[in-house]
């Protein structure tokens, strides 16, 4: 099966077919090129997607990746980044092994095809030239034969005519002989040209054209083989990255299998554990005995250790409720309603006794007088400053010792701060060692530098180390206090508080409430009177710490009150709440429902039960 023998007369069709084959090859090259562009675009989109969901440096989101599920997600993002890299490898291999190689091959194929068809056209032109020579020789032989025939007829005519001279007859005879000789020469030439043409034609159709067409056939078959090999390379480019893609997918599966829900749950505990004990059981309060409705000495618990059923807000139970107590704010102190309280409803319950023994009766005085007294009393100025500091904490300021945080969170923050300071100290010590070594080199080789020029730097580094060590010791002390290695409050603080209470017992009731410890116990120690020499600045710092107002008793709502004014709180009849500030004579009592809800209600709307052991509470008989 050869094109040269089977398609000897299909030169033009072969030319069109081979051009179509080159067009198919170029189309395939374009297809592969567009595939590589898709792979590169896909890889870029995958990388951008992975980068988009990567945690930002030094952000809260980065802290969340300590959980195993988040770590698995991060591993998935990294694996997808590698996955995108494999698509880039596919594009690179297809470009180098298919697109570039086939483009070079197409150029070579075009040149080869051009050469073969040029040889074919040249052979066609040669055979056409031979054919033209044959036709010319044939026409000349035909013409000479006709001329010789006419000359012979003319001679015979002249020879038969008796009127023609002998010389004319001889001339006609010679002319006829010449024409016959020319005809013979033309015949011989025609025969020679015909033999030559037949030879050339045989060579053309049996040698030249078959050879040329055979080369074209081989060229076309190589093209077909080459495009098949390119398709195999196309598939191999995908197949060779499949193992790596499989490893990427295996990495994702491994990351998913590494998720440990128990570990994540433990991390949540470590992240949010406050360290407080949950609130204890609320003891039953017996309202059946009328004597317990009064605020006399006999109606209240005499001491914390007598085991009375009433709730002790200054004892352990109060300590358990401490995490839920709202921080003290200056505005809540000054938002007592400025208008007089409304009278109780006409349909009062039989047990309601407005302003009875439960509501302590004091001499009425304007709120402005109380505020002026609050501002002019020096001990209360300390409280006012404490309240302002509490307000600033609410507005975003964080105390240095992280005292605004629960114990466990405070311990973590302090430990983190200690670790950071230790790293800074180590860095400064390394720098000091380096400077010391450099100074030794300068001492041994003065030409390299002046040793005295490093003294200032050494002194500066030493001062930095000392400052960092003092700072670290301060935070370590706070950390030790939180971890229980030190008492909750130092003995010096106890003496300061005791001295202040001894000097100003009537005027610091509200301030004493601010100094309640998280465990619910008070830290004033009146027995330490021998050591009362303290600095005023230490005293001020002692009262600058932010503490919530403790409850000094409970109250029961006698009527429903809709707190619509600023500073008031709504209550429902029969509801039991905590009293955090008693009636100061303006007809309002400050109460708390939970850590987020507190405000004033009319004193005549509630029945108050004060705890005489609570700091700041007054007992009325």
């Amino acid at each position: 099966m050869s094109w040269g023998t089977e398609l000897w007369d299909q030169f033009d069709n072969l030319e069109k077919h081979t051009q179509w084959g080159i067009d198919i090859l170029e189309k395939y090259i374009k297809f592969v090129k567009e595939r590589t562009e898709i792979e590169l675009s896909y890889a870029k989109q995958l990388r951008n997607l992975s980068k988009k969901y990567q945690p930002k440096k030094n952000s809260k989101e980065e802290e969340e990746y300590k959980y195993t599920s988040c770590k698995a997600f991060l591993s998935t993002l990294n694996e997808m980044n590698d996955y995108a890299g494999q698509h880039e490898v596919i594009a690179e291999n297809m470009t180098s092994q298919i697109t570039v190689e086939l483009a070079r091959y197409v150029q070579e194929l075009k040149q080869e095809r051009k050469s073969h068809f040029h040889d074919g056209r040249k052979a066609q032109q040669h055979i056409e030239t031979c054919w033209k020579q044959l036709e010319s020789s044939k026409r000349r032989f035909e013409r000479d034969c006709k001329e010789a025939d006419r000359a012979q007829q003319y001679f015979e005519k002249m020879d038969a005519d008796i009127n023609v001279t002998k010389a004319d007859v001889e001339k006609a005879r010679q002319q006829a002989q010449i024409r016959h000789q020319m005809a013979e020469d033309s015949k011989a030439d025609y025969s020679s040209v015909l033999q030559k043409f037949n030879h050339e034609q045989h060579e053309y159709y049996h040698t030249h054209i078959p050879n040329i067409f055979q080369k074209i056939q081989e060229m076309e078959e190589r093209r077909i083989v080459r495009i098949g090999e390119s398709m195999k390379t196309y598939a191999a480019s995908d197949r060779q990255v499949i193992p790596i893609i499989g490893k990427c997918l295996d990495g994702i599966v491994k990351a998913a299998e590494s998720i440990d829900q128990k570990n994540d749950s433990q991390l949540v505990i470590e992240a949010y554990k406050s360290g407080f004990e949950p609130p204890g059981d609320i003891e039953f309060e017996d309202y059946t005995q009328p004597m317990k409705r009064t605020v006399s000495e006999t109606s209240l618990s005499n001491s914390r250790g007598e085991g009375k059923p009433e709730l002790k807000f200054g004892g352990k139970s109060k300590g358990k409720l401490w995490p839920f107590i709202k921080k003290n704010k200056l505005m809540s102190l000054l938002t007592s309603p400025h208008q007089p309280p409304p009278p109780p409803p006409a349909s009062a319950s039989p047990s309601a006794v407005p302003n009875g023994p439960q509501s302590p009766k004091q001499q009425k005085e304007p709120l402005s007088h109380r505020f002026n007294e609050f501002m002019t009393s020096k001990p209360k100025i300390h409280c006012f400053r404490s309240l302002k500091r509490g307000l600033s904490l609410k507005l975003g300021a964080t105390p240095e010792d992280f005292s605004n945080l629960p114990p466990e969170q405070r311990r973590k923050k302090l430990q983190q701060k200690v670790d950071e300071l230790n790293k800074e100290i180590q860095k400064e010590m390394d720098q000091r060692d380096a400077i010391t070594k450099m100074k030794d080199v300068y001492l041994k080789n003065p030409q390299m530098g002046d040793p005295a020029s490093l003294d200032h730097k050494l002194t500066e580094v030493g001062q930095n180390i000392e400052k960092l060590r003092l700072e670290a010791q301060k935070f370590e002390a706070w950390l030790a206090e939180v971890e229980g290695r030190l008492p909750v409050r130092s003995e010096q603080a106890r003496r300061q508080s005791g001295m202040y209470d001894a000097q100003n017992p009537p005027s610091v009731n509200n301030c004493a409430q601010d100094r309640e410890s998280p465990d619910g116990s008070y830290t004033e120690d009146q027995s330490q009177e021998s050591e009362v020499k303290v600095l005023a600045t230490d005293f001020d710092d002692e009262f600058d710490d932010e503490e919530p107002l403790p409850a000094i008793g409970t109250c029961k709502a006698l009527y429903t009150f809709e707190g619509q004014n600023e500073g008031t709180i709504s209550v429902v009849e029969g509801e039991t709440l905590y009293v955090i500030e008693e009636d100061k004579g303006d007809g309002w009592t400050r109460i708390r429902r939970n850590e987020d809800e507190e405000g004033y209600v009319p004193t005549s709307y509630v029945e108050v039960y004060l705890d005489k052991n609570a700091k700041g509470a007054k007992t009325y008989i």
Side-chain angles (χ1 to χ4, degrees), residues 39-159:
E39 292 292 339
L40 290 174
S41 176
Y42 181 52
K44 182 179 180 180
Q45 291 178 5
L46 284 179
R47 288 191 184 278
N48 291 338
L49 180 65
S50 177
K51 183 179 179 181
K52 177 181 178 181
Y53 286 93
Q54 288 281 350
K56 296 179 177 59
K57 296 290 185 181
N58 301 322
S59 64
K60 182 179 179 182
E61 183 181 358
E62 190 176 23
E63 297 178 1
E64 297 174 354
Y65 279 79
K66 61 186 177 181
Y67 300 103
T68 57
S69 57
C70 293
K71 288 180 180 178
F73 178 50
L74 183 59
S75 299
T76 301
L77 295 178
N78 295 332
E79 295 294 346
M80 289 306 298
N81 200 44
D82 296 340
Y83 187 94
Q86 299 312 306
H87 285 278
E88 291 175 344
V89 171
I90 292 175
E92 182 179 354
N93 291 340
M94 286 185 176
T95 300
S96 61
Q97 299 176 10
I98 299 179
T99 305
V100 175
E101 292 296 329
L102 283 184
R104 186 184 300 114
Y105 176 71
V106 165
Q107 296 301 322
E108 295 175 356
L109 189 65
K110 287 181 178 179
Q111 291 295 330
E112 184 180 0
R113 174 180 174 275
K114 182 179 179 181
S115 175
H116 292 326
F117 282 99
H118 175 72
D119 293 342
R121 288 192 179 90
K122 187 176 179 181
Q124 282 182 339
Q125 290 175 359
H126 177 70
I127 198 66
E128 286 176 0
T129 301
C130 292
W131 171 257
K132 289 179 181 179
Q133 290 177 356
L134 177 63
E135 287 293 324
S136 175
S137 176
K138 180 181 178 181
R139 284 194 300 271
R140 185 169 60 251
F141 172 60
E142 182 182 5
R143 184 179 66 248
D144 289 345
C145 287
K146 289 180 180 181
E147 291 290 335
D149 185 51
R150 283 196 297 271
Q152 183 64 29
Q153 290 177 2
Y154 180 73
F155 167 69
E156 290 176 354
K157 181 179 177 181
M158 292 291 291
D159 187 44

Side-chain angles (χ1 to χ4, degrees), residues 66 266-276 399-420 474-485:
K66 61 186 177 181
Q266 183 62 33
L267 290 177
V268 173
I269 293 174
E270 294 176 1
Y272 301 111
K273 181 180 179 181
S274 67
F276 293 127
E400 186 181 13
D401 61 349
F402 304 107
S403 58
N404 61 316
L405 298 176
E408 184 66 23
Q409 302 303 316
R410 183 186 179 195
R411 182 193 65 78
K412 290 177 62 177
K413 287 288 186 180
L414 290 173
Q415 184 64 54
Q416 181 181 357
K417 188 69 175 179
V418 169
D419 294 340
E420 291 175 358
K474 179 173 63 175
F475 280 95
E476 285 173 356
W478 285 332
L479 179 61
E481 178 181 346
V482 173
E483 292 178 345
R485 295 197 297 265

Side-chain angles (χ1 to χ4, degrees), residues 15-293:
E15 187 176 17
K16 293 178 182 179
H17 177 77
T18 52
Q19 181 61 44
W20 171 82
I22 292 176
D23 293 340
I24 288 294
L25 193 59
E26 289 180 337
K27 182 183 294 186
Y28 181 73
I29 293 173
K30 185 177 180 181
F31 160 75
V32 176
K33 186 177 180 180
E34 291 184 1
R35 165 70 191 276
T36 58
E37 292 174 354
I38 291 174
E39 292 292 339
L40 290 174
S41 176
Y42 181 52
K44 182 179 180 180
Q45 291 178 5
L46 284 179
R47 288 191 184 278
N48 291 338
L49 180 65
S50 177
K51 183 179 179 181
K52 177 181 178 181
Y53 286 93
Q54 288 281 350
K56 296 179 177 59
K57 296 290 185 181
N58 301 322
S59 64
K60 182 179 179 182
E61 183 181 358
E62 190 176 23
E63 297 178 1
E64 297 174 354
Y65 279 79
K66 61 186 177 181
Y67 300 103
T68 57
S69 57
C70 293
K71 288 180 180 178
F73 178 50
L74 183 59
S75 299
T76 301
L77 295 178
N78 295 332
E79 295 294 346
M80 289 306 298
N81 200 44
D82 296 340
Y83 187 94
Q86 299 312 306
H87 285 278
E88 291 175 344
V89 171
I90 292 175
E92 182 179 354
N93 291 340
M94 286 185 176
T95 300
S96 61
Q97 299 176 10
I98 299 179
T99 305
V100 175
E101 292 296 329
L102 283 184
R104 186 184 300 114
Y105 176 71
V106 165
Q107 296 301 322
E108 295 175 356
L109 189 65
K110 287 181 178 179
Q111 291 295 330
E112 184 180 0
R113 174 180 174 275
K114 182 179 179 181
S115 175
H116 292 326
F117 282 99
H118 175 72
D119 293 342
R121 288 192 179 90
K122 187 176 179 181
Q124 282 182 339
Q125 290 175 359
H126 177 70
I127 198 66
E128 286 176 0
T129 301
C130 292
W131 171 257
K132 289 179 181 179
Q133 290 177 356
L134 177 63
E135 287 293 324
S136 175
S137 176
K138 180 181 178 181
R139 284 194 300 271
R140 185 169 60 251
F141 172 60
E142 182 182 5
R143 184 179 66 248
D144 289 345
C145 287
K146 289 180 180 181
E147 291 290 335
D149 185 51
R150 283 196 297 271
Q152 183 64 29
Q153 290 177 2
Y154 180 73
F155 167 69
E156 290 176 354
K157 181 179 177 181
M158 292 291 291
D159 187 44
D161 190 358
I162 58 174
N163 295 322
V164 178
T165 64
K166 187 178 180 178
D168 292 335
V169 172
E170 184 63 24
K171 183 177 180 181
R173 185 182 64 80
Q174 292 177 354
Q175 187 69 27
Q177 289 178 348
I178 293 173
R179 291 297 178 183
H180 279 288
Q181 186 62 39
M182 289 178 63
E184 290 295 331
D185 292 340
S186 297
K187 180 180 179 181
D189 183 62
Y190 172 66
S191 177
S192 174
V193 172
L194 179 61
Q195 290 178 358
K196 182 180 178 182
F197 174 78
N198 288 333
H199 176 73
E200 293 292 339
Q201 181 176 260
H202 185 273
E203 290 292 325
Y204 175 79
Y205 286 112
H206 294 85
T207 303
H208 296 308
I209 288 298
N211 289 339
I212 292 173
F213 281 14
Q214 184 65 30
K215 292 178 181 179
I216 293 174
Q217 180 181 356
E218 292 174 356
M219 177 193 72
E220 184 68 10
E221 289 175 353
R222 286 198 308 272
R223 177 192 68 81
I224 295 171
V225 171
R226 191 62 178 268
I227 197 171
E229 292 176 349
S230 299
M231 290 179 180
K232 291 180 181 180
T233 305
Y234 178 88
S237 299
D238 267 344
R239 183 176 287 111
Q240 70 181 1
V241 301
I242 288 177
I244 303 178
I245 291 178
K247 290 182 179 179
C248 294
L249 299 177
D250 291 341
I252 295 174
V253 173
K254 184 177 180 181
E257 292 174 350
S258 67
I259 295 176
D260 186 354
Q261 66 276 12
K262 298 297 182 182
N263 182 71
D264 286 1
S265 299
Q266 183 62 33
L267 290 177
V268 173
I269 293 174
E270 294 176 1
Y272 301 111
K273 181 180 179 181
S274 67
F276 293 127
E277 292 292 334
D281 295 338
I282 299 178
E283 298 179 3
F284 177 75
E285 297 185 33
D286 191 357
Y287 293 98
T288 59
Q289 299 180 15
M291 292 301 294
K292 292 185 177 181
R293 293 176 177 265

Side-chain angles (χ1 to χ4, degrees), residues 479-497:
L479 179 61
E481 178 181 346
V482 173
E483 292 178 345
R485 295 197 297 265
L486 296 177
V488 177
R489 293 179 61 184
S490 64
E491 198 64 25
Q492 182 183 3
R494 290 173 179 266
R495 290 194 295 270
Q496 293 173 8
S497 180

